[in-house]
């Protein structure tokens, strides 16, 4: 109920922002200023709210495609807004790449948070992958990474995330893999995703391994290197 109330607050806030009557809320006021300065499409903002609202109703996804749709409506849409702020929203290539980066980011976020969600008796890996690998949710809630089939399901889910990263990189093949300098702030978000997937592979796709919850001290350097090389 509280979550629904919050979603409705933000729906009303976006509507008020479009009417030049933002609520006296620090985030809403900042969003109002950004919307006016950069002409941010209200459609994107409402799309994020609608997706988050639906997630409150049905947090479990039946298929990989439904998770991808959720990622497109949330993380990818946030990247579209940043492209708009950088006056780059007219580029189909950048938007297409941002779409894949956003989906990969959503997948990685769910995998990183799998131990927490399992402790709350929620399964964030889609049903088609858990069924394929013979995963029993109750066993995951009790045994974590030792549950039968869970590492295989994590592997399949991580593979799809990595495929989205590879697709995004492929879109810049003609420029030697380099992203336009002015767009690089958008694509730096791919760096922590790639880093997490690499660490996940090193622990043999055990999403419950405590090492995955530690901060990656190399991440700032990786982000700097990506920014300097204009690649991710």
């Amino acid at each position: 109920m509280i979550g629904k109330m919050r979603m409705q607050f933000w729906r009303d806030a976006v509507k008020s922002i479009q009417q030049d009557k933002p609520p006296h809320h620090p985030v809403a006021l900042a969003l109002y200023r950004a919307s006016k300065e950069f002409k941010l499409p209200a459609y994107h903002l409402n799309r994020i709210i609608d997706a988050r609202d639906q997630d409150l109703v049905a947090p479990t996804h039946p298929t990989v495609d439904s998770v991808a749709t959720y990622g497109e409506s949330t993380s990818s849409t946030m990247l579209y807004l940043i492209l708009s702020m950088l006056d780059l929203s007219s580029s189909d290539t950048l938007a297409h790449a941002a779409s894949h980066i956003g989906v990969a980011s959503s997948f990685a976020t769910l995998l990183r948070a799998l131990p927490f969600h399992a402790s709350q008796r929620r399964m964030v890996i889609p049903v088609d992958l858990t069924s394929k690998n013979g995963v029993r949710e109750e066993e995951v809630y009790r045994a974590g990474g030792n549950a039968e089939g869970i590492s295989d399901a994590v592997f399949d889910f991580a593979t799809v995330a990595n495929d989205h990263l590879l697709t995004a990189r492929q879109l810049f093949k003609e420029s030697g893999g380099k992203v336009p300098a002015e767009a690089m702030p958008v694509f730096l978000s791919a760096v922590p995703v790639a880093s997490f997937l690499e660490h996940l592979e090193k622990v043999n796709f055990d999403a419950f391994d405590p090492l995955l919850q530690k901060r990656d001290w190399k991440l700032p350097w990786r982000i700097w290197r990506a920014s300097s090389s204009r690649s991710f």
Side-chain angles (χ1 to χ4, degrees), residues 112-196:
R112 183 189 294 274
L114 178 58
F116 168 76
H117 286 294
S119 73
Q120 303 299 307
R121 302 183 64 80
R122 289 192 298 264
M123 175 53 66
V124 294
I125 297 179
V127 175
D128 57 352
L129 294 186
T130 55
S131 297
K132 170 189 171 185
N133 291 286
V135 176
R136 297 184 180 89
E137 289 189 17
E138 190 62 38
E139 187 178 354
V140 176
Y141 302 152
R142 293 197 312 267
N146 294 320
E148 182 179 353
I150 188 62
S151 292
D152 293 330
V154 168
F155 168 79
D156 288 345
F157 202 35
T159 298
V160 179
N162 193 58
D163 286 345
H164 280 282
L165 275 180
L166 294 176
T167 300
R169 289 172 180 152
Q170 190 69 18
L171 291 169
F172 297 103
K173 184 178 180 180
E174 292 184 2
S175 60
K178 293 188 178 296
V179 178
E182 62 273 19
M184 203 57 215
V186 174
F187 295 97
L188 288 178
S189 60
V191 179
V193 175
S195 177
F196 173 75

Side-chain angles (χ1 to χ4, degrees), residues 204-223:
N204 201 26
F205 299 96
D206 178 5
F208 292 82
D209 193 306
L211 291 175
L212 294 175
Q213 302 304 320
K214 292 185 177 181
R215 292 184 178 181
D216 181 4
W217 64 271
K218 292 183 180 179
L219 186 57
W221 176 78
R222 290 187 176 196
I223 292 174

Side-chain angles (χ1 to χ4, degrees), residues 36-51:
K36 290 302 172 185
E37 181 177 354
F38 301 107
K39 297 180 174 58
L40 300 181
Y43 165 76
H44 288 328
L45 299 173
N46 284 317
R47 187 182 187 189
I48 294 172
I49 295 168
D50 289 343

